[in-house]
Amino acid sequence: MNLKIDKKAKRRAASSGQVPVSTETDTTNPSANLIIAAYLVSGICALAYETIWIRIAALRIGGTVVSATLVIAAFFLCAALGNLIGGVLSRKGHAVRAFGLVELLCALTAAVLYIAEPSIASVVAARIGGELSAHVAYVLLLAGMPALLAGASFPLAAQAAVATLGTRTSRGGVLYGANLVGAALGIVGGGVLLPMVAGNRAALLVAAATEIIVGALLIVKAKPAVASREESQLPKLERTVYSRFGVVIAISSGALSILLEVLVISYAHQIVQDSVFTVAATLFAFILCLGAGSLIAARLRRKGVAVELLMPWALLLSGVLVALYIPVLAALIGATVTPPGPGLWDYASGLITFAVVALSPLLVCVGMVFPLAWELCETSLTSQGQALGRLSSMNKAASAVGAILGPFVLVPIYGLAGAMVHVAVAYAFLGTVFLLRHKRLTMIQYGGLGFAIFVGHFVSWYVKTPIVLVDGETLLARYEGGGGTVAVTRDSVGSHHIVLNQTYTLNGTERGMLSQQQEAWLPLALTPAPRRVAFIGMASGVSANAVLDFPVEHLDAIELNPQVEEAARNEFGQWNARLYRDPRSRVIVNDGRYVVEQARQPYDTIICTLLLPSQEGTASLYSHDFFESVRRKLAPNGRFCLWLPTYQMDKALEGIVVRTFVDAFPSAIMVRASFSPDTPAIGLIGSNEPLDMSDAFIRQRLASVPAIGSVSPFFRSPDNFRLALMGDIKGKASDFAANPTTTDDRPVFAFQGPLAIAPTSALRGFALLDVAGKGYQDGPFPSLAIGTDDRARVTAGIRAGNYFYAASSVGFPERSDLVEGAKQHASVLQYMGTARSYSRSAKVTESDLGH
């Protein structure tokens, strides 16, 4: 690689005080290409590790924004320490072989710690008191050492690749850019593709094996660097004008870039659905474009363009583009962008293409800043590895701070758009100060800068993330924070809703009220003595509040998202007041799986409410590992209920869940929450022993809550109650044998759930009746404790329930045309008549069906 600059570039560099780039052939290291390739692979492996660690930590310490931030902050802090250690090591000897040894140790450590992860978790739980202390210790033990070693590799690689101060960007930028490109590939390959095909364990071990091979090649094949004459020939230029400010830029770029990453991902959740693919595609585009910026900076430096010319333009353009992206992203939210194609490849590639195209103009400029700052700082050090190690350490430490400030300080105070304003102002301010740094600023100039910052801060209070409303909707309140953007709305019929990230509507207070209440009542009625209850996914609190209609002794109402819980507490008191006032109730903001698994006392009933199949993280609540752990947490005669939003699922997705459920529970049945045909919810109820469906048991349970009978058609009599039963899925387990099981290691549901389904494939109306209703009406019933007479009643109840549901389906939506409306009503009456012929004592009216 011949690195030359023309005479004009030399004069421009000299006049600005810039250290010139090398004019001699790059013979600094004969293994330069191998080093760049190795560091690219290092980026792939490092991000594969980090992605999998975040996934594992979510299972151990809860899948909250706190746990994800903890892993990211720990990764950056340990990598920062590794940068310092690697910088010291870079001066000790053969940098290339040391680089290879560190890569090899990093891979071995990552593999060993992953295999030992269960032991690490148990030791931490037994030895360390305090939840936060235990979580920090767990994360550091799992990811700390590999992150430290990954950080140490950069100064060693830089020492081998970068000869002089003047070539830090031109050569080091290529190295750094290659690593970022590798990191982007690691997110997609190691974080999604390999786990989807072979599981998390296999993905991490493949990454470790790859890194071991690369480390061994570096040790065996790499040649030592040739001493460069260039350093001794360079004049010792004084750069006091820029050197300290260069350190400020290096630190600021770390905090600002990670802040921008947090904000861009938050916007992505509101533009497309919040899924594992959305996060992976956004991170891929983000890091890839940062790498492209680093490579462009290196290219421009090789052409002789001075750092003092490039840096202010990179900073100022970053600030301007961040400011411009606020209305651009707002427009995209309003457009509700949907990636093309129903298939996995079309879906994933569409997301990636959209993210890269949308983010590249902004992030290329942002990616140029840090590599350019290298040449402004640590000018007295002749060891380039040590100099870049120190700068990278400061940058990564600042990134850890930025990862915390974004979701927990800036977004809660200023909102998503307001936080973006702060990032824009910060970049623009740094660029302006850089331009004026070599001049003595007047009081007027200082005042102008101060006024500009004040204006930016003022604007941030008033620039808000737009909330997209449908016709007839009114915005009542908004909440923004680490959990996303939450809107409380009222629709045209007066129903209040919580809308998460523009795409996920939680609950309702009018038409869907009864269905939500029955999501609590039905599993409690099937539990002989529900004293301790856990309700996972509180949302607005309507369903969890209904638990207190039963004479329970203790309720844990659990909500993952702090902004959703805040909205429920402040805006839904009319419907959930008992959750916050009843001494039996405790509201917990945490991961429901974590809370249940860490509980010291067993629960009699555990209810897991409707979970959006596409949402990232929900797969852990559909996992076989969770079902097994929750089964062990049940008290004798305890019940676990998982509610499925079948209107967002097709037969394949439902089959994955049912197969996983019946494999985990000795007894498993399916119930309906209501007769709603457009938004039906079915519940899978599992237990360690058969469920009593006898006439005597049901009558006794209904008598314990007599007031509910006046509200719910299912609680009027034992025969009415059996209308909610759809079938015994344990008796039909062989029907689901062809479906895969979703586990923590191989979360099939996480990769299948986000894919779009055709409207005709959604399990609602007659489609749901065909899949679930017809299959179970004749038994067998191994999950039910029933006698001969009760068996006949159970069969009659299932068949009658199916026909009442068919009546509801054929009557929705109601036709306004008189002739067609009359025919529709006749069909409704016909289905209801058939239902009553099966269960003559069941009392159901048209109003119970929603007509």
Side-chain angles (χ1 to χ4, degrees), residues 671-688:
V671 297
R672 58 171 56 88
S674 68
F675 292 116
S676 171
D678 57 328
T679 56
I682 61 173
L684 308 182
I685 300 180
S687 68
N688 291 312

Side-chain angles (χ1 to χ4, degrees), residues 533-806:
V533 179
F535 194 99
I536 300 174
M538 184 188 90
S540 67
V542 172
S543 297
N545 190 74
V547 171
L548 299 172
D549 291 323
F550 278 72
V552 302
E553 296 174 4
H554 180 80
L555 164 65
D556 283 334
I558 310 163
E559 173 54 47
L560 172 68
N561 192 303
Q563 278 66 58
V564 169
E565 188 278 331
E566 188 179 5
R569 175 165 28 92
N570 294 338
E571 313 295 337
F572 285 79
Q574 180 180 346
W575 302 279
N576 67 15
R578 287 181 296 172
L579 287 178
Y580 294 95
R581 298 176 185 172
D582 196 310
R584 299 174 295 165
S585 172
R586 178 176 62 156
V587 175
I588 302 173
V589 181
N590 207 332
D591 185 306
R593 172 170 174 168
Y594 172 79
V595 172
V596 168
E597 291 181 338
Q598 296 297 313
R600 296 184 178 181
Q601 292 180 269
Y603 290 103
D604 299 290
T605 310
I606 300 172
I607 303 169
C608 198
T609 193
L610 299 173
L611 304 167
L612 188 68
S614 64
Q615 193 168 27
E616 186 189 22
T618 57
S620 67
L621 293 173
Y622 291 106
S623 164
H624 186 273
D625 302 76
F626 175 58
F627 294 160
E628 285 288 348
S629 66
V630 83
R631 185 173 65 82
R632 293 190 293 269
K633 280 293 181 180
L634 289 174
N637 290 311
R639 305 289 185 258
F640 171 65
C641 180
L642 174 69
W643 288 101
L644 305 179
T646 56
Y647 50 92
Q648 297 171 329
M649 306 173 75
D650 59 10
K651 185 177 180 180
L653 195 60
E654 185 232 15
I656 293 171
V657 181
V658 175
R659 161 68 190 277
T660 305
F661 198 87
V662 297
D663 281 358
F665 287 95
S667 297
I669 65 171
M670 180 184 290
V671 297
R672 58 171 56 88
S674 68
F675 292 116
S676 171
D678 57 328
T679 56
I682 61 173
L684 308 182
I685 300 180
S687 68
N688 291 312
E689 52 278 314
L691 293 89
D692 198 338
M693 197 64 72
S694 66
D695 212 60
F697 173 78
I698 296 174
R699 197 176 300 279
Q700 178 266 325
R701 295 299 296 133
L702 299 186
S704 68
V705 282
I708 295 178
S710 63
V711 179
S712 168
F714 296 141
F715 281 75
R716 292 172 187 162
S717 69
D719 284 334
N720 273 67
F721 186 83
R722 281 185 281 261
L723 297 176
L725 179 63
M726 297 178 70
D728 188 330
I729 54 177
K730 193 70 177 182
K732 295 290 186 177
S734 59
D735 293 351
F736 301 96
N739 295 102
T741 300
T742 185
T743 65
D744 288 346
D745 181 61
R746 191 175 179 188
V748 178
F749 190 92
F751 304 116
Q752 186 72 26
L755 300 185
I757 59 174
T760 54
S761 300
L763 298 182
R764 51 159 56 98
F766 284 98
L768 175 60
L769 196 63
D770 289 337
V771 172
K774 293 180 180 178
Y776 310 122
Q777 59 190 19
D778 295 320
F781 305 114
S783 301
L784 302 180
I786 50 177
T788 304
D789 292 341
D790 293 320
R791 179 186 176 88
R793 293 189 180 97
V794 166
T795 303
I798 292 174
R799 293 185 177 185
N802 288 341
Y803 275 101
F804 279 125
Y805 183 76

Side-chain angles (χ1 to χ4, degrees), residues 40 114 146 148 167 182 224 282 321 344 372 394 450 484 494 508 532 733 757 790 803 846:
L40 184 147
Y114 183 85
L148 185 146
T167 58
T282 306
L321 288 172
L344 177 59
L372 289 173
M394 291 184 283
R532 286 180 50 81
I757 59 174
D790 293 320
Y803 275 101
E846 287 188 61

Side-chain angles (χ1 to χ4, degrees), residues 37 230 477 666 687 779 847:
E230 185 185 12
S687 68
S847 62

